[in-house]
């Protein structure tokens, strides 16, 4: 080969690697009650994935979640909704209403109102890949009619 020496063709040993890097976003939601803060956190998650203004309510889905404390309850609640979005028929919810909120036994039943996600009709924003416990915080102040939650999600 013209202009190439043996040395030019010698491939040096690899001195690099690929390191996983996670990107996150923190959802912060609030309400007059803890129940409302959980609902708003679910809406924040869906709103991060697509423009909810384009979502119509044509389908109703029911989800249930349980945990061993409030943080695991919030985690599993959001995870159930994320699964609903991630598995066919890819339901995106415009509204989430908790129908049963049992904070003694850490159980939630909720109804999600929305439709099937359709590329072209719905915008593709960031993909939420997973819910995390990282820096999760739940503040319930019933005496002040204030509740807020913080959840970091992997995107």
């Amino acid at each position: 080969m013209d202009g190439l020496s043996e040395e030019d063709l010698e491939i040096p040993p690899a001195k690099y690697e690929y390191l996983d890097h996670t990107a996150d976003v923190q959802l912060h939601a609030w309400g007059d009650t803890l129940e409302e803060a959980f609902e708003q956190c679910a809406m924040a998650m869906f709103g991060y994935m697509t423009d909810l203004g384009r979502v119509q309510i044509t389908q109703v889905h029911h989800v249930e979640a349980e945990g061993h404390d409030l943080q695991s309850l919030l985690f599993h609640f959001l995870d159930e909704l994320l699964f609903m979005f991630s598995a066919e028929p890819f339901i995106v919810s415009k509204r989430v209403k908790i129908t049963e909120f049992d904070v003694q036994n850490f159980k939630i039943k909720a109804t999600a109102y929305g439709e099937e996600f359709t590329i072209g009709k719905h915008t593709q924003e960031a993909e939420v890949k997973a819910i995390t416990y990282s820096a999760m915080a739940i503040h319930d102040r019933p005496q002040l009619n204030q509740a807020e939650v913080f959840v970091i999600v992997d995107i």
Side-chain angles (χ1 to χ4, degrees), residues 103-142:
V103 292
Q104 278 72 44
N105 298 303
F106 307 112
K107 294 182 180 184
I108 285 179
K109 289 184 180 180
T111 305
Y113 303 87
E115 67 179 331
E116 186 174 338
F117 183 86
T118 306
I119 293 173
K121 176 179 183 179
H122 302 114
T123 58
Q124 284 184 285
E125 306 297 332
E127 175 190 359
V128 173
K129 295 178 182 152
I131 313 302
T132 75
Y133 282 103
S134 176
M136 183 184 283
I138 299 172
H139 304 289
D140 188 17
R141 300 176 203 86

Side-chain angles (χ1 to χ4, degrees), residues 68-114:
H68 60 273
D69 60 14
L70 276 178
Q71 287 192 346
S72 64
L73 181 61
L74 179 57
F75 176 93
H76 290 293
F77 174 59
L78 295 174
D79 197 47
E80 284 296 320
L81 292 166
L82 181 58
F83 178 76
M84 184 182 76
F85 180 82
S86 303
E88 285 193 56
F90 312 112
I91 302 301
V92 61
S93 184
K94 186 179 186 89
R95 179 170 188 249
V96 175
K97 179 69 181 151
I98 294 175
T99 55
E100 290 182 36
F101 193 64
D102 182 346
V103 292
Q104 278 72 44
N105 298 303
F106 307 112
K107 294 182 180 184
I108 285 179
K109 289 184 180 180
T111 305
Y113 303 87

Side-chain angles (χ1 to χ4, degrees), residues 23-62:
D24 322 311
V25 65
Q26 186 174 40
L27 306 176
H28 175 212
W30 57 91
D32 294 340
T33 63
L34 193 56
E35 183 176 329
E36 183 183 16
F38 274 44
E39 291 170 346
Q40 287 296 317
C41 193
M43 298 317 307
M45 180 180 71
F46 284 115
Y48 200 75
M49 295 188 286
T50 190
D51 175 5
L52 295 181
R54 295 181 180 208
V55 177
Q56 295 178 300
I57 296 175
T58 62
Q59 297 183 24
V60 176
H61 292 267
H62 301 283

